[in-house]
Amino acid sequence: MKSTMMQVPLSTNMILERAGTYFGERQVLGRLPDKRYASRSYAEVYRRARQLAQALREELAVPRNEAVATLCWNHAWHLECYFGIPAAGAVLHTLNLRLSPAEIAYIVDDAGDRVVIVDDVLLPLWEKVRPLLRASNPRLVVVPYAGGMALPDGALGYESLIDRDASAYAYPVQDENEPVGMCYTSGTTGQPKGVVYSHRSMVLHAAVGCVPDLFDLSARDRVLLVTPMFHANAWAVPFSALMAGADQIMPGPHLGGEDLLDLMEHAQPTLALGVPTIWMMIHQALEAPTRERRLPKGMRMLVGGAAVPTSMIANFARHDMHIVQGWGMTETSPLGSVPVVKPETLELPLSQQHERRAMQGIATPLVEMRIADETGAPQPWDGQSSGEVQVRGPWVTGDYHGVPRDPAKFTADGWLRTGDVGTIDADGYMRIVDRSKDLIKSGGEWISSVDLENLVMNHPDVAEAAVIAIAHPKWGERPLVVAVRRAGAEVDSAGLREFLRPKLARFALPDDFEWVDAIPRTSTGKFLKTRLRELYRDRVSASPD
Ligand code: ADP
């Protein structure tokens, strides 16, 4: 027997068409550079994305399956690019504006970008990138985000480029495995590498992302995208939100704690996403209120990109804001796992529920997950044995753009080696212990920097903390706690150590503390441990022998 189903290739154009047909009245609410609010309907996004597609094809002659880059904040123009570039048969390549000009130039060259669509307010950055390009010579299209700025020589204005009738525009006919977008990994080991998503992977990921135990997205939602659209496509939520017909709220460059609270008050999101460090900052702003605020009740928050401390889950729950943690990476589109809450979990005391939610959880639908030791042997699901987390699925990358297949990144049977170290318990819930390179080995015992950070951040006077390894003549490595005090708090190293003592094995109890004003961050807002390691490279642990 043969299946009788139609062979319809999956395409992000289907998502755009559906939004244009059924959700034209839904809104993208954004903030302009001067903080004014501006909104655009999905009907306009639909029309303008198609105009962009037609212009890229007809006026700029962008060849099919070639990359068109964006160097933009989160706003409605960027959303148009998310759909207009693929609708032209081209590949949406989001550039991370927090990288150095040299890194951006490397990435533009590597991707072979034909066109770069850049915010007018980011032209000074682009001017630093351009002279560093070696291989590519992209056309420049300037988004009038602030408006009123002169165009550089040879550049095109976004609005005049798309000013055309595209009502009869026909999408190119494409196979579902053709590329739709690309993002670069952070390159903490070696040069950044390109991950290329397909129409098929993006549509499947967008659809599954809407299920209740993931983003739980519906046409009644208002999604606040704090995660930059250049960070793993804002976790591909713009695709899921358009598919579901949910409103989107875009903060632009206004990412401070007070700014985000203002935006939440104004826009009343039902769901917000961001990395833990952003929420730590928001929590500090919440706890030191400048005035009474009317914040959204019952808001869900999808927090991922780094481990979410249990204390953060509890702290926000007190404000009727509910954290769902997601684990994933650029290579996994990024949804890899989530700590799905089963009814049994809801019967547990609140503190244990929060601990459960602080786990990285079970594999998302259509993704498989396992842990393996250095020899590749599968590790038992006992919650104790740890191993490298490996994943496989239709939206997990099987390769990197333009580089020979790297056996260190993929297993012989085709699974992605994530470089994360985790345990899996008998119920299948995974817990990240560390990235392999972040583990601390003290006197032959492994110490998890993630666990230690989690415990330190449970101290009510600690705002943020990161843990790295420093040298010790006898023990090899010892943990150094780098911490930020909450405003007005007075906890000191001895006090923090006493707080930790009953919670830790003796060898894991840190003797070294450093109090700082702020912890350096990566381009995506996570704690930058490589910088901390540089800063404290020569520090020798004071632990007794
Ligand atoms: P990078 O952080 O290297 O720029 P990604 O954004 O792709 O690149 O990050 C992927 C990595 O982030 C994962 O391999 C993992 O180490 C970490 N990560 C993501 N989500 C979580 C989470 N919920 N808990 C712990 N670590 C996480």
Side-chain angles (χ1 to χ4, degrees):
M1 188 184 302
K2 278 184 169 175
S3 135
T4 59
M5 291 299 111
M6 295 180 184
Q7 299 275 318
V8 180
L10 302 178
S11 164
T12 58
N13 300 329
M14 292 167 160
I15 303 177
L16 181 63
E17 276 301 307
R18 181 161 197 264
T21 306
Y22 300 113
F23 298 122
E25 75 295 345
R26 307 261 44 96
Q27 298 287 317
V28 187
L29 175 73
R31 279 191 110 175
L32 297 172
D34 63 7
K35 295 199 179 179
R36 273 181 303 139
Y37 292 101
S39 62
R40 196 171 293 173
S41 70
Y42 274 8
E44 288 173 278
V45 169
Y46 169 76
R47 177 175 54 78
R48 289 161 54 89
R50 287 167 48 88
Q51 289 169 204
L52 173 63
Q54 192 179 72
L56 289 173
R57 253 166 94 186
E58 293 177 3
E59 193 154 333
L60 297 180
V62 173
R64 185 153 140 183
N65 296 343
E66 295 290 319
V68 171
T70 59
L71 186 62
C72 298
W73 292 105
N74 288 13
H75 50 49
W77 290 271
H78 208 170
L79 187 63
E80 291 165 12
C81 294
Y82 260 54
F83 288 91
I85 294 170
V91 180
L92 165 75
H93 174 206
T94 50
L95 291 168
N96 181 340
L97 56 88
R98 298 217 175 89
L99 296 178
S100 72
E103 287 168 312
I104 298 176
Y106 171 85
I107 288 172
V108 171
D109 278 341
D110 190 67
D113 292 326
R114 300 298 180 120
V115 175
V116 175
I117 300 177
V118 56
D119 282 350
D120 51 8
V121 292
L122 293 170
L123 279 171
L125 171 59
W126 178 251
E127 290 308 324
K128 289 188 193 136
V129 173
R130 187 200 289 274
L132 304 175
L133 294 176
R134 292 191 192 172
S136 55
N137 183 21
R139 282 298 294 275
L140 192 63
V141 175
V142 179
V143 171
Y145 183 31
M149 291 190 195
L151 289 179
D153 281 349
L156 296 163
Y158 180 96
E159 293 298 332
S160 48
L161 175 70
I162 71 159
D163 184 14
R164 56 186 55 237
D165 176 11
S167 50
Y169 178 70
Y171 303 110
V173 179
Q174 281 181 292
D175 183 89
E176 63 179 15
N177 290 307
E178 285 184 54
V180 74
M182 83 185 302
C183 290
Y184 276 74
T185 59
S186 66
T188 37
T189 51
Q191 292 287 14
K193 292 195 284 290
V195 171
V196 184
Y197 310 105
S198 64
H199 278 276
R200 174 184 154 82
S201 73
M202 198 63 98
V203 170
L204 288 174
H205 184 279
V208 172
C210 294
V211 305
D213 279 319
L214 291 171
F215 299 126
D216 190 13
L217 268 178
S218 77
R220 297 165 299 286
D221 275 307
R222 297 170 62 72
V223 189
L224 169 58
L225 293 168
V226 181
T227 307
M229 291 167 83
F230 55 75
H231 184 201
N233 293 320
W235 305 340
V237 168
F239 294 100
S240 293
L242 224 78
M243 183 180 265
D247 289 337
Q248 299 188 52
I249 303 162
M250 310 277 197
H254 308 298
L255 297 169
E258 291 292 331
D259 281 332
L260 288 170
L261 287 175
D262 286 348
L263 183 57
M264 282 185 215
E265 194 172 15
H266 178 85
Q268 297 288 311
T270 55
L271 171 69
L273 25 145
V275 291
T277 45
I278 284 269
W279 296 106
M280 288 172 199
M281 193 179 66
I282 293 179
H283 184 250
Q284 287 184 54
L286 262 180
E287 295 286 293
T290 43
R291 64 186 166 79
E292 192 66 25
R293 286 181 180 275
R294 199 179 62 85
L295 290 172
K297 292 265 173 288
M299 186 177 81
R300 292 145 21 230
M301 298 148 65
L302 202 105
V303 185
V308 180
T310 321
S311 57
M312 181 188 283
I313 297 172
N315 287 341
F316 275 99
R318 282 195 281 277
H319 291 276
D320 196 14
M321 295 179 176
H322 306 282
I323 291 184
V324 177
Q325 172 167 209
W327 169 87
M329 53 204 302
T330 303
E331 285 90 333
T332 64
S333 290
L335 287 177
S337 71
V338 66
V340 166
V341 178
K342 296 187 184 174
E344 301 82 79
T345 307
L346 294 177
E347 286 161 17
L348 297 172
L350 211 52
S351 62
Q352 284 179 34
Q353 289 188 34
H354 293 153
E355 272 164 31
R356 192 90 179 160
R357 289 174 191 270
M359 295 182 80
Q360 280 66 27
I362 61 173
T364 50
L366 313 190
V367 170
E368 296 167 90
M369 180 178 277
R370 67 186 186 191
I371 45 174
D373 71 8
E374 307 86 67
T375 67
Q379 294 300 294
W381 289 18
D382 57 12
Q384 296 296 324
S385 313
S386 66
E388 181 183 43
V389 179
Q390 302 179 346
V391 286
R392 175 167 79 168
W395 55 74
V396 176
T397 201
D399 230 327
Y400 291 97
H401 168 68
V403 290
R405 196 177 167 82
D406 180 356
K409 294 296 295 183
F410 301 95
T411 64
D413 59 348
W415 292 54
L416 173 74
R417 302 184 54 181
T418 66
D420 286 340
V421 180
T423 59
I424 300 184
D425 71 13
D427 298 327
Y429 283 68
M430 187 266 287
R431 177 193 295 285
I432 295 280
V433 179
D434 238 321
R435 291 198 194 202
S436 27
K437 53 187 175 295
D438 289 345
L439 276 168
I440 300 162
K441 196 156 196 185
S442 174
E445 299 280 359
W446 291 108
I447 300 176
S448 156
S449 67
V450 173
D451 284 353
L452 201 46
E453 284 160 9
N454 205 343
L455 286 174
V456 173
M457 284 191 269
N458 275 341
H459 192 291
D461 285 353
V462 173
E464 298 178 354
V467 173
I468 56 165
I470 53 171
H472 186 281
K474 176 160 181 203
W475 303 120
E477 291 179 343
R478 293 289 298 149
L480 169 69
V481 177
V482 184
V484 180
R485 279 188 196 89
R486 261 184 216 295
E490 288 186 344
V491 59
D492 61 6
S493 306
L496 181 55
R497 195 163 181 279
E498 284 317 302
F499 171 82
L500 295 172
R501 186 191 293 279
K503 304 179 174 69
L504 284 169
R506 234 166 61 114
F507 71 89
L509 186 64
D511 299 296
D512 302 279
F513 298 84
E514 194 67 46
W515 296 93
V516 295
D517 293 336
I519 294 175
R521 303 240 197 281
T522 67
S523 62
T524 51
K526 307 182 196 181
F527 293 145
L528 185 54
K529 290 199 181 177
T530 47
R531 178 82 190 110
L532 286 178
R533 283 192 203 106
E534 273 165 37
L535 283 172
Y536 301 109
R537 194 179 40 212
D538 299 330
R539 176 146 174 177
V540 176
S541 167
S543 291
D545 282 355

